[in-house]
């Protein structure tokens, strides 16, 4: 996972490599979550974001696939976890490059708006609670 994300950030993977890796990681993550296997969500969201961003960087004319992979990591983490500030801080901690702040803020904010405001999706943690029959946020008691 993380080695693949690093390769996407470095720009060493081609679009023909990124596409099947993205599909396989997505399937493995969905299968693991669906089966209730123990594991984290932050790591898979970072890897999926790096793969999707790197792939989009190959499709966009003049785009840097490595930068797109970094921005994809932040966008996927922020939208999946409904934690845009945590995603921004994570990117800054990973890169230690303050020049990334503005493009990362724009990308993460756009992902948050599309995920939560346009489609009305909750964070993955809230969705897991709801699948287990736990109402979140809790209803007020009379």
């Amino acid at each position: 996972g993380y080695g693949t994300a690093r390769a996407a950030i470095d720009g060493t993977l081609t679009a023909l490599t990124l596409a099947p890796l993205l599909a396989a990681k997505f399937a493995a993550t969905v299968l693991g979550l669906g089966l209730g296997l123990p594991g984290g969500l932050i790591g898979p969201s970072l890897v999926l974001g790096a793969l999707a961003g790197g792939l989009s960087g190959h499709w966009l004319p003049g785009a840097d696939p490595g930068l797109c992979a970094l921005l994809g990591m932040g966008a996927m983490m922020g939208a999946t976890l409904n934690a845009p500030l945590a995603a921004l801080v994570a990117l800054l901690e990973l890169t230690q490059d303050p020049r990334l702040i503005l493009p990362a803020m724009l990308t993460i904010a756009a992902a948050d708006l599309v995920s939560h405001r346009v489609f009305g999706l909750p964070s993955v943690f809230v969705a897991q609670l709801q699948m287990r029959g736990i109402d979140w946020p809790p209803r007020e008691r009379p």
Side-chain angles (χ1 to χ4, degrees), residues 94-107:
L94 288 171
T95 63
Q96 297 182 357
D97 187 357
R99 296 175 297 167
L100 193 64
I101 292 174
L102 182 60
M105 283 176 43
L106 294 173
T107 306

Side-chain angles (χ1 to χ4, degrees), residues 36-109:
L37 298 175
L41 293 169
I42 295 173
S45 71
L46 291 174
V47 174
L48 284 168
L51 294 172
L55 187 60
S56 67
H58 284 288
W59 289 340
L60 297 171
D64 177 16
L67 176 62
C68 289
L70 279 171
L71 296 176
M73 287 173 67
M76 184 70 77
M77 180 182 170
T80 302
L81 305 177
N82 195 13
L85 291 177
L88 181 62
V89 170
L91 279 183
L92 291 174
E93 286 181 6
L94 288 171
T95 63
Q96 297 182 357
D97 187 357
R99 296 175 297 167
L100 193 64
I101 292 174
L102 182 60
M105 283 176 43
L106 294 173
T107 306
I108 292 168

Side-chain angles (χ1 to χ4, degrees), residues 111-130:
D112 183 67
L113 286 172
V114 169
S115 175
H116 302 294
R117 305 307 181 264
V118 174
F119 291 109
L121 298 173
S123 78
V124 72
F125 297 119
V126 172
Q128 285 180 333
L129 289 173
Q130 291 171 345

Side-chain angles (χ1 to χ4, degrees), residues 6 10 15 26 31 40 49 73 91 111 114:
R6 183 78 228 166
D10 292 340
F26 181 77
L31 185 64
M73 287 173 67
L91 279 183
V114 169

